[in-house]
Amino acid sequence: MISNTPQPPYYAVIFTSQRTPGDRGYAYTAGRLAELARTMPGFLGAESVRDEHGAGITVSYWQSEANMRHWLEQAEHAAARQLGNSVWYEDFSVRVARVERAYGKNRPG
């Protein structure tokens, strides 16, 4: 599903990852964090895909840098990041960007 974000500017957190084999609680935690993120101030939406080889990308959208920091400091999210680092991911990268322009087929720019 494509997120219905407002007119820019807003922020995007781009998380790319390569999973380790096996679930080990990953699916449950990913679902829980998606639910939790939707309750956070300034959360605008998220899009996530993963291929059959474990490579994935999740982009979350936030109204402000302060909202992103608040999410980063949220206790369940912090605990999940520790598990990701030690158990779930062979590798990952986080990039933060300010969205200046946005348009699409059903979203005039």
Side-chain angles (χ1 to χ4, degrees):
M1 182 63 119
I2 297 174
S3 295
N4 186 18
T5 52
Q7 288 297 312
Y10 53 88
Y11 293 85
V13 177
I14 306 155
F15 178 72
T16 54
S17 63
Q18 180 64 49
R19 283 286 322 279
T20 56
D23 183 80
R24 294 173 284 175
Y26 177 82
Y28 170 80
T29 303
R32 172 66 186 140
L33 289 179
E35 290 174 14
L36 187 58
R38 286 191 290 273
T39 71
M40 299 296 292
F43 177 77
L44 302 175
E47 300 153 353
S48 188
V49 295
R50 184 164 303 281
D51 73 13
E52 67 276 5
H53 305 292
I57 184 167
T58 297
V59 182
S60 61
Y61 303 100
W62 300 89
Q63 189 174 31
S64 71
E65 290 186 80
N67 296 139
M68 290 185 299
R69 275 192 298 280
H70 187 66
W71 173 238
L72 191 65
E73 295 166 357
Q74 201 284 334
E76 281 186 68
H77 184 220
R81 286 196 323 275
Q82 288 180 340
L83 281 170
N85 197 33
S86 63
V87 176
W88 294 323
Y89 300 116
E90 289 178 15
D91 195 11
F92 66 85
S93 178
V94 178
R95 297 168 179 96
V96 177
R98 180 179 154 119
V99 176
E100 298 289 340
R101 286 182 301 284
Y103 56 90
K105 182 174 181 178
N106 295 312
R107 292 166 181 77

